[in-house]
């Protein structure tokens, strides 16, 4: 139905408010970076079918052990050497000496480079709070905290194999689709999240903390959002990014798939010119 959210669809299919709050929203929110009462139902159903109704490996939770910069930019530098240039702004595509170009930047910047109207996608933020406690309070590698701002908690020491010295515990709390947390000062946010953890998991003192805010983490996949495909109005130029029409949520999987699709599109274009 027009403008129907995933929550409305789940209710029509028999889900209760309690099951949505305690299961479906816990599952959907980190995958789509929006709660079930705001997200597009097709995106939600795709996520459910892919993760829960596909092959068993589809539901594996993969966590990076290295920083994302090391996995992406640094890895490209190791493979391609000085041909990789980071942190340089491209003013116009006409300045690039290239046979083919993949524009893989955020929506507004992509529109600027391609001479297109800004799609005006709304962003959905992610907030992470890193906490070093003086003692262990979480006895599993990861957990979801219901009725809390602390959506998911990760024991960084257990997951990376590098536990803190002197018996402490390093926990990372990730909160998805939480614009309300973006306005809270760092110290206040640390106290708020740490308090929610210790109230549930047991008393402990915070020895160190850090707050990471990503205001433009993903686009907000609300009902009616239409994402553009790989083709652009410029020959030899393809579009890529988590926010493009890959059929997947705006995740790293979507980024990888969009890049592969863009490369295949450009190669097929070159092949067509050669054959002609």
């Amino acid at each position: 139905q027009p403008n129907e959210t995933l929550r409305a669809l789940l209710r029509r299919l028999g889900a209760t408010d309690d099951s949505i709050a305690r299961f479906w929203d816990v599952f959907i929110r980190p995958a789509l970076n929006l709660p079930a009462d705001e997200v597009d139902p097709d995106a939600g159903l795709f996520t459910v079918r892919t993760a829960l109704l596909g092959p068993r490996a589809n539901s594996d939770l993969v966590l990076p052990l290295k920083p994302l910069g090391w996995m992406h930019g640094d890895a490209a530098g190791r493979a391609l050497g000085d041909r990789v240039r980071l942190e340089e702004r491209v003013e116009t595509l006409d300045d690039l000496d290239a046979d083919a170009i993949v524009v893989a930047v955020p929506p507004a910047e992509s529109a600027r480079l391609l001479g297109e109207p800004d799609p005006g996608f709304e962003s959905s933020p992610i907030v992470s709070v890193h906490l070093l406690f003086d003692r262990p309070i979480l006895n599993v590698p990861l957990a979801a905290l219901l009725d809390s701002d602390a959506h998911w908690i990760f024991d960084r020491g257990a997951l990376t194999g590098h536990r803190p010295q002197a018996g402490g515990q390093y926990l990372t709390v990730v909160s998805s689709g939480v614009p309300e947390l973006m306005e809270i000062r760092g110290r206040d946010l640390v106290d708020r999240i740490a308090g929610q953890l210790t109230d549930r998991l047991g008393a402990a003192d915070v020895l160190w903390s850090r707050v990471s805010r990503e205001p433009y983490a993903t686009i907000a996949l609300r009902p009616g959002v239409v994402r553009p495909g790989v083709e652009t109005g410029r020959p030899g130029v393809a579009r890529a990014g988590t926010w493009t029409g890959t059929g997947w949520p705006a995740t790293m999987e979507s980024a990888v798939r969009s890049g592969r699709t863009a490369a295949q599109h450009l190669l097929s274009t070159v092949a067509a010119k050669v054959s002609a």
Side-chain angles (χ1 to χ4, degrees):
Q1 298 183 14
N3 299 318
E4 181 180 51
T5 65
L6 178 62
R7 181 188 183 89
L9 176 61
L10 290 172
R11 288 297 307 274
R12 287 202 293 111
L13 295 175
T16 64
D17 289 339
D18 194 51
S19 68
I20 292 172
R22 296 182 174 273
F23 177 76
W24 291 112
D25 201 47
V26 174
F27 174 72
I28 288 295
R29 187 187 281 260
L32 293 165
N33 204 26
L34 279 180
D37 60 357
E38 298 180 30
V39 77
D40 177 75
D42 290 335
L45 285 178
F46 171 86
T47 303
V48 171
R49 292 190 181 110
T50 302
L52 301 183
L53 301 180
R56 185 171 181 175
N58 281 10
S59 60
D60 287 349
L61 182 62
V62 180
L63 300 173
L65 298 182
K66 296 281 190 179
L68 296 183
W70 183 91
M71 297 169 59
H72 297 153
D74 292 351
R78 290 190 296 272
L80 300 174
D82 59 9
R83 285 183 290 170
V84 176
R85 295 160 59 182
L86 303 176
E87 299 182 9
E88 291 193 21
R89 179 178 173 82
V90 175
E91 294 296 337
T92 171
L93 297 183
D94 295 332
D95 290 342
L96 300 179
D97 181 14
D99 296 324
I101 299 171
V102 176
V103 177
V105 292
E109 182 69 358
S110 177
R112 182 188 72 82
L113 289 170
L114 294 171
E116 300 174 344
D118 187 336
F121 291 134
E122 178 188 354
S123 297
S124 189
I126 294 176
V127 174
S128 301
V129 179
H130 304 265
L131 301 164
L132 176 61
F133 288 101
D134 65 341
R135 69 197 68 184
I137 58 175
L138 184 68
N139 59 8
V140 291
L142 70 157
L145 209 60
L146 300 176
D147 301 320
S148 166
D149 297 316
H151 298 156
W152 284 91
I153 313 165
F154 300 86
D155 182 341
R156 288 286 294 272
L159 293 168
T160 63
H162 300 288
R163 298 181 184 273
Q165 299 293 325
Q169 189 174 40
Y170 179 7
L171 301 180
T172 294
V173 177
V174 179
S175 302
S176 302
V178 281
E180 65 275 14
L181 297 186
M182 296 293 293
E183 307 304 320
I184 302 176
R185 292 177 58 251
R187 184 70 255 172
D188 293 339
L189 182 58
V190 167
D191 292 343
R192 175 169 170 162
I193 297 296
Q196 292 179 6
L197 265 60
T198 55
D199 285 347
R200 301 279 188 91
L201 304 176
D205 293 328
V206 177
L207 303 178
W208 171 87
S209 64
R210 181 168 65 88
V211 173
S212 173
R213 307 175 196 266
E214 300 175 64
Y216 310 108
T218 70
I219 63 170
L221 286 179
R222 301 187 188 280
V225 169
V226 178
R227 298 189 279 173
V230 65
E231 294 188 26
T232 71
R234 298 186 55 146
V237 179
R239 182 190 294 107
T242 64
W243 55 276
T244 60
T246 62
W248 283 70
T251 58
M252 286 189 287
E253 177 69 22
S254 181
V256 172
R257 287 174 177 267
S258 75
R260 289 177 173 174
T261 300
Q264 290 167 354
H265 171 73
L266 292 173
L267 288 172
S268 63
T269 302
V270 170
K273 287 182 178 180
V274 171
S275 63

